[in-house]
């Protein structure tokens, strides 16, 4: 029997504004893990994984589900729209992936009800362009209800009190809808919702007890964050953030595993930066033709909403902040191939703001908005696309990667050179001791 001393719990976090390509990395790593756990967020996230000729788009379920021996769990830090989840289950099953018995849902995860969607719609209609540009999946209202202690936990679907709880939450929502001159939601909607939500019952588990037991047994567990550090409700560009904690700290509150369980924290960065929705973006590329070229070649459109993503250069002050907040020990750089063929590639090394230089991005909005990027220029490269051999990567690209790793004080152990699983370069010599399992992937 394995013991806790052999256990391995890693966290994978996005270090920018989400959309760093965590899905591919999690899928790749899931070969090494028995369990993959999503710890926050909801169907606002979306990732696409290409396996051979197949393309899978996930919103809630971790991409580990594609591996037959991997068990997936949605942690208590997540918010779940039952209809969206059940549709995702169905669509995977239609493609021959067995989900039942391999997907677990924390009883403490919160449910997204139809009236929360109505609330989000009413609020964004009222705010119009003044809104932050959410994904429209009622993520904010779901976390608000959780904190206000009027939310519906997944575990409630097994309770004989379910309808009573739903009516209470509905009454709360209707008060807001009426005050916004919107039609209230009827109780029959709540009954309909209850019928769908009850279908989640077979998936439920006490997440913390289950994971602690698996950890004690020495099972390998991968904790997957959605979005990225700059969208963290505490540590991101508030108020232009999501309503949960994508940073590594969220992995403990969102699963009930203790901080002492975690043995490795891996950050994912793209070779450039993107952001979708409103909010400050210091390194945003003003040249629309160049931005459009990167957007097209990187397919930078929201996987959930289809919105074009804003595009910018890699931003080291921003990354220094998220690396510090999450305690990131090693990095994966994705989408390096997208920059193939550019004459030059820029990296922001510091900001100028209020007459001084900032190596770490400021936290407060009024400071960030006053920041100007200071760039270092690199000669462009080609031939990175599809490359699997470290030695064959273009020397200009290698200089870029080495510079970024040195400046950030974290080794870049993976470089993704394309959407397919094998289009990955593993830098064996840079793998820190606590990540030595990665070497299994390079065999
Ligand atoms: P919400 O999470 O839908 O409330 O949206 C809050 C902000 O986070 C908006 O600017 C969204 O565009 C952004 N956001 C939420 N999820 C993602 C994601 O998975 N990738 C990138 N941006 C996201």
């Amino acid at each position: 029997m394995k013991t806790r001393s052999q256990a391995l719990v890693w966290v994978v976090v996005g270090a920018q504004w989400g959309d760093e390509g965590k899905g591919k990395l999690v899928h790749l790593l899931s070969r090494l893990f028995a369990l993959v756990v999503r710890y926050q967020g909801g169907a606002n996230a979306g990732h696409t994984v290409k396996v051979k000729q197949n393309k899978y788009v996930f919103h809630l379920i971790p991409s580990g589900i594609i591996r037959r021996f991997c068990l997936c769990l949605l942690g208590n830090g997540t918010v779940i729209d039952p209809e969206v989840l059940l549709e995702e289950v169905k669509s995977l099953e239609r493609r021959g992936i067995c989900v039942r018995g391999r997907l677990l849902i924390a009883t403490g995860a919160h449910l997204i009800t139809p009236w929360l969607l109505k609330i989000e719609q009413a609020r964004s209609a009222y705010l119009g362009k003044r809104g932050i540009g959410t994904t429209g999946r009622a993520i904010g209202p779901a976390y608000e209800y959780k904190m206000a202690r009027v939310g519906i936990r997944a575990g409630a679907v097994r309770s004989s009190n379910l309808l009573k709880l739903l009516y209470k939450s509905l009454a709360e929502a209707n008060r807001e809808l009426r005050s916004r001159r919107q039609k209230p939601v009827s109780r029959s909607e709540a009954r309909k919702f209850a019928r769908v939500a009850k279908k989640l019952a077979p998936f439920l588990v006490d997440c913390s007890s289950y994971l602690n037991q698996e950890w004690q047994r020495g099972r390998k567990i991968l904790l997957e964050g959605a979005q990225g550090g700059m969208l963290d409700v505490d540590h991101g560009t508030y108020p232009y953030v999501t309503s949960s904690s994508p940073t590594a700290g969220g992995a403990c509150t969102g699963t009930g595993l203790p901080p002492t369980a975690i043995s490795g924290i891996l950050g994912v960065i793209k070779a450039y930066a993107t952001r979708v929705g409103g909010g400050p973006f210091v390194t945003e590329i003003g040249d629309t033709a160049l931005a459009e070229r990167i957007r097209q070649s990187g397919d930078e459109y929201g996987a959930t909403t289809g919105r074009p993503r804003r595009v910018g250069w890699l931003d080291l002050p921003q990354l220094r902040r998220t690396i510090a907040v999450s305690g990131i020990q090693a990095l994966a750089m994705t989408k390096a191939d997208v920059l193939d063929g550019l004459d030059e590639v820029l990296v922001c090394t510091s900001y100028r703001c209020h007459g001084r230089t900032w190596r770490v991005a400021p936290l407060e909005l009024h400071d960030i908005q006053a920041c100007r990027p200071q760039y270092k220029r690199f000669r462009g490269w080609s031939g990175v696309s599809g490359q699997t051999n470290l030695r064959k990567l273009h020397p200009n690209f290698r200089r870029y990667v080495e510079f970024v790793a040195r400046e950030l004080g974290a080794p870049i152990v993976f470089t993704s050179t394309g959407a397919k699983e094998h289009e990955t370069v593993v830098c064996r010599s840079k793998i820190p001791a606590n990540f030595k399992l990665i070497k299994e992937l390079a065999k």
Side-chain angles (χ1 to χ4, degrees), residues 13-20 22 40 225-233 235-237 241-242 244-247 268 318 322 326:
V13 288
Q16 294 161 311
W17 285 272
D19 309 316
E20 297 91 351
K22 295 181 289 296
Q40 44 70 235
Q227 290 87 39
M230 292 310 279
L231 290 178
D232 186 282
V233 67
H235 303 287
T237 49
V241 292
T242 191
S244 62
S245 307
T247 39
V268 187
Q318 172 269 299
T322 50
S326 280

Side-chain angles (χ1 to χ4, degrees), residues 17-20 22 38 41-47 59 120 132-141 143 226-228 230-231 239-244 274-279 302-305 307 309-310:
W17 285 272
D19 309 316
E20 297 91 351
K22 295 181 289 296
R38 168 90 176 268
N44 48 347
H47 44 255
H59 292 293
E120 176 135 284
I132 68 159
T134 72
T135 57
R137 299 297 184 113
I139 305 300
Y143 283 109
Q227 290 87 39
M230 292 310 279
L231 290 178
Y240 296 92
V241 292
T242 191
S243 300
S244 62
T274 59
R275 136 159 245 178
V276 59
T304 301
T305 57
R307 289 182 289 180
R309 295 179 185 140
R310 298 157 67 193

